[in-house]
Amino acid sequence: MPPKIYSTNKTMTSPQIEIQLIAAVVAMACAIPGVFLVLRKMALISDAISHSILPGLVLGFFITHDLNSPILILLAAITGVITVILVEAIQRTGLVKEDTAIGLVFPALFSIGVIMIAKNANDVHLDVDAVLLGELAFAPFDRFLLNGLDLGPKSLWIMGTILFITIFLVIMFFKELKISTFDAGLSASLGISPLLMHYGLMSVSSVTVVGAFDAVGAILVVALMIAPAAAAYLLTSDLKKMLLLSIGFGVCSALLGYWVAHWLDASISGSMTTVLGLVFLFVYLFAPRKGWIAVWYRQKQQRTEVSLLTFLLHLNNHSEERERHINHLQEHINWQRVRSQTVLDLALKNNMITISEEIVSLTSKGKEFTELALEYILTNRDEKIEPMKDDFFLFRG
Amino acid sequence: MKEQPAIQIDDLTVAYNYKPVLWDIDLTVPEGVLMAIVGPNGAGKSTLIKAILGIIDPIAGSVRVFGKAYKEQRKLVGYVPQKGSVDWDFPTTALDVVMMGTYGRLGWIKRPGNDQKKASLEALEKVGMLAFKNRQISHLSGGQQQRVFLARALVQDATIYLMDEPFQGVDATTEIAIINILKELRKRGKTVVVVHHDLQTVPEYFDWVTFLNVKKIATGPVKDIFNDDNLTKTYGINYKVAINN
């Protein structure tokens, strides 16, 4: 159980503000590399890194006896990059696929770390629980002192520095990150080495994971990297906006998570991750274009439109009245009554048919539409249906 | 000094996991030709292009572009990768993809500005895709995506163009658009090397051809060497195509 930071009055205490500040900075620093990991389909690598840095972390701790030491962060980050190299080496043998290689490497390294902790449990103030879940609530107790002057929590300085470097790198190398992620082949041919970008991203991710790990732990740091990016991916088709949205989701979830933890008297990192999960779920359901509801609605519309087109083609092909009788829909085309009614209504609403004495006829607009649609289906040329796109979903990508 | 060929390949061997994909290739691409590279699946056609561009390291041999190593001549070479080699769900627009063609000349860190944007818009217009400049790339048809790739290569403003199956899976509109661009490039004295699948159209579209199947079978002007003999040697079966002069 992490200790609680109580406020006895209504205003926030200084540790409370500091914890939220750290949480927000961690969320931002994680969200940025997370976007590129998601776009490179390497989300699992962040999971691997977050676990396999443990031996580096423990080793660093033996040497420095300080979880926030830059040497420790560097050592752990190097373990992270070694993980990536190992995974790629195993993958290159061609004997196993990438996911298997990841599954082989990180438990091995993680378990080495666990044994190292267990073997030295007596001298080391480091336990597996803290490694897995982090101790954000403790963060304000470890102060950054300079000549006796209190400059705030140490982890805020560390994560702040990591965040600053990350933002600097993303701004400097935005175009290189974009092209090497989208088209590694062209990138290589232009002299922008995808390998260099890959290991650069892996190094930044490793450093971020190590820095964030103190606050949120090895498991939850993955959520902070992946969930905001995954949610942003569903909402935008612009890389810059995706980055900004991810940062926004990360920070909001971190702050909201903190207050949920406060109200429920529960783990801060656990609440932050839960909120992240809920944010993703919400976006997944309600995203305007790629969301589940939007897709479901679009597919339903498309089904209706295909039915409409089938119906119009049928009318176009048959001049005899028997084939155009309103009851014929149920009998011959074999549709259920509801669908028939929907299709008839849609065709009527768009002035494509007229019905007189239960006999359906195509209007001139209906004829024109049918012919254009036929031509589109036969030639697959977009300009044929360009003017109809506003009325119908049917031919939208 | 004698004029250098556009591309000179000597004794090039490339292997994946110790299995040779290209074996001891000697190939000269003269300046100003429109060359098709043909061969069966797995013949190493894409690998040859990637080896020229330094994307794959050969285990032996050398590639010279106008007499120098490719690394020194990057800016002279434009590249159209296979359409399937990228993720078209990537969050970006058609214009943005075309702008990527300017990154090589810009070099590291420098960002594209108005000049690059203007050039990219012109390239989009050339391939008939200006109206789609702000369209998300996943909402383009296959042919439109291919034209965006072509526009991106045009923006590279190169002297040599290497294209990996630009005609694959495209509609008639796109095929015509690509041919027109190829012809225009030839008119401007550019050298174009195209990995090509449709043997029927080789004599119509290209003036040079290279037959490849792990080893080089033949290379030369289409009118001299595009015959049943070389086709049979390349494809292993008695291959007959209608060749109009």
Side-chain angles (χ1 to χ4, degrees), chain A residues 91-335:
Chain A
Q91 207 187 328
R92 245 199 317 276
T93 61
L95 300 173
V96 294
K97 295 266 187 290
E98 188 190 14
D99 51 348
T100 312
I102 292 175
L104 286 168
V105 171
F106 86 80
L109 288 170
F110 185 72
S111 57
I112 293 172
V114 171
I115 292 171
M116 282 164 83
I117 293 180
K119 283 294 277 180
N120 299 280
N122 296 335
D123 345 307
V124 181
H125 302 286
L126 192 69
D127 63 274
V128 176
D129 269 7
V131 165
L132 289 177
L133 300 172
E135 290 289 16
L136 195 52
F138 283 152
F141 298 135
D142 194 3
R143 313 300 294 181
F144 183 39
L145 299 170
L146 200 69
N147 295 329
L149 193 69
D150 183 0
L151 293 176
K154 228 179 192 174
S155 52
L156 185 58
W157 279 92
I158 289 189
M159 272 326 282
T161 310
I162 293 172
L163 175 62
F164 179 79
I165 294 171
T166 307
I167 290 175
F168 174 78
L169 289 174
V170 159
I171 291 175
M172 290 297 279
F173 298 109
F174 183 72
K175 125 177 158 277
E176 287 78 6
L177 274 165
K178 182 160 69 182
I179 191 171
S180 63
T181 303
F182 174 65
D183 191 340
L186 179 73
S187 185
S189 82
L190 295 178
I192 299 169
S193 163
L195 205 67
L196 193 65
M197 297 314 292
H198 173 68
Y199 282 109
L201 178 64
M202 287 304 113
S203 306
V204 169
S205 304
S206 297
V207 170
T208 308
V209 166
V210 185
F213 150 106
D214 186 26
V216 292
I219 297 179
L220 305 183
V221 68
V222 181
L224 278 173
M225 288 192 130
I226 304 309
Y233 181 73
L234 296 179
L235 286 173
T236 179
S237 50
D238 180 310
L239 183 54
K240 275 181 196 153
K241 282 186 198 144
M242 186 175 165
L243 276 162
L244 293 176
L245 269 174
S246 298
I247 292 171
F249 281 141
V251 172
C252 291
S253 307
L255 297 184
L256 198 60
Y258 171 79
W259 286 105
V260 169
H262 189 72
W263 290 319
L264 295 178
D265 188 14
S267 146
I268 298 174
S269 49
S271 306
M272 274 165 50
T273 317
T274 308
V275 171
L276 271 172
L278 292 175
V279 165
F280 177 78
L281 184 66
F282 184 83
V283 171
Y284 171 74
L285 288 176
F286 299 107
R289 291 186 65 99
K290 299 181 192 167
W292 188 83
I293 290 173
V295 170
W296 173 80
Y297 180 73
R298 198 160 54 234
Q299 283 173 351
K300 186 169 166 268
Q301 293 287 89
Q302 282 174 347
R303 269 201 300 278
T304 311
E305 285 147 13
V306 171
S307 307
L308 172 70
L309 201 56
T310 313
F311 172 53
L312 292 177
L313 283 176
H314 180 77
L315 291 179
N316 201 30
N317 286 343
H318 295 277
S319 50
E320 59 273 37
E321 288 199 350
R322 189 173 48 84
E323 289 282 341
R324 294 190 283 120
H325 194 272
I326 201 151
N327 289 330
H328 173 80
L329 273 180
Q330 277 103 323
E331 289 165 18
H332 284 221
I333 308 186
N334 202 14
W335 284 342

Side-chain angles (χ1 to χ4, degrees), chain A residues 39 41 172-173 175-176 178-179 181-183 185-186 188-191 197 233 237-239 289 381-382, chain B residues 55 70 74 79 81 86-87 89-92 96 100 103-104 107-110 136-137 139 144 152 156:
Chain A
L39 289 176
K41 302 175 179 64
M172 290 297 279
F173 298 109
K175 125 177 158 277
E176 287 78 6
K178 182 160 69 182
I179 191 171
T181 303
F182 174 65
D183 191 340
L186 179 73
S189 82
L190 295 178
M197 297 314 292
Y233 181 73
S237 50
D238 180 310
L239 183 54
R289 291 186 65 99
R381 283 173 76 153
D382 266 355
Chain B
I55 299 172
Y70 171 74
R74 283 187 205 282
Y79 176 38
V86 305
D87 174 13
D89 284 326
F90 192 85
T92 190
D96 201 40
M100 289 179 191
Y103 289 5
W108 286 81
I109 298 174
K110 261 175 96 183
Q136 215 272 314
I137 52 171
H139 295 156
Q144 291 170 335
R152 186 176 69 174
Q156 286 187 262

Side-chain angles (χ1 to χ4, degrees), chain B residues 178-216:
Chain B
I178 298 175
I179 295 160
N180 287 337
I181 301 264
L182 292 184
K183 285 180 179 160
E184 199 208 310
L185 288 173
R186 177 167 50 185
K187 212 184 287 172
R188 284 162 51 199
K190 313 280 187 187
T191 309
V192 187
V193 178
V194 179
V195 172
H196 197 56
H197 253 169
D198 184 6
L199 293 170
Q200 305 281 352
T201 53
V202 168
E204 190 186 335
Y205 295 170
F206 301 95
D207 49 18
W208 279 60
V209 64
T210 295
F211 291 94
L212 189 74
N213 192 357
V214 185
K215 292 177 174 186
K216 184 191 76 182

Side-chain angles (χ1 to χ4, degrees), chain A residues 13-153:
Chain A
T13 63
S14 158
Q16 280 185 318
I17 294 171
E18 283 175 2
I19 289 174
Q20 289 177 67
L21 212 55
I22 295 168
V25 170
V26 167
M28 278 193 256
C30 288
I32 295 170
V35 164
F36 292 100
L37 291 176
V38 165
L39 289 176
R40 287 164 175 249
K41 302 175 179 64
M42 292 174 63
L44 258 182
I45 275 283
S46 68
D47 195 20
I49 292 175
S50 71
H51 284 73
S52 58
I53 55 171
L54 190 62
L57 208 69
V58 179
L59 196 68
F61 193 75
F62 289 162
I63 298 168
T64 62
H65 292 278
D66 177 4
L67 260 180
N68 287 322
S69 151
I71 297 170
L72 176 138
I73 291 183
L74 207 68
L75 265 175
I78 290 170
T79 328
V81 176
I82 290 174
T83 312
V84 177
I85 294 170
L86 281 177
V87 167
E88 282 163 3
I90 293 178
Q91 207 187 328
R92 245 199 317 276
T93 61
L95 300 173
V96 294
K97 295 266 187 290
E98 188 190 14
D99 51 348
T100 312
I102 292 175
L104 286 168
V105 171
F106 86 80
L109 288 170
F110 185 72
S111 57
I112 293 172
V114 171
I115 292 171
M116 282 164 83
I117 293 180
K119 283 294 277 180
N120 299 280
N122 296 335
D123 345 307
V124 181
H125 302 286
L126 192 69
D127 63 274
V128 176
D129 269 7
V131 165
L132 289 177
L133 300 172
E135 290 289 16
L136 195 52
F138 283 152
F141 298 135
D142 194 3
R143 313 300 294 181
F144 183 39
L145 299 170
L146 200 69
N147 295 329
L149 193 69
D150 183 0
L151 293 176

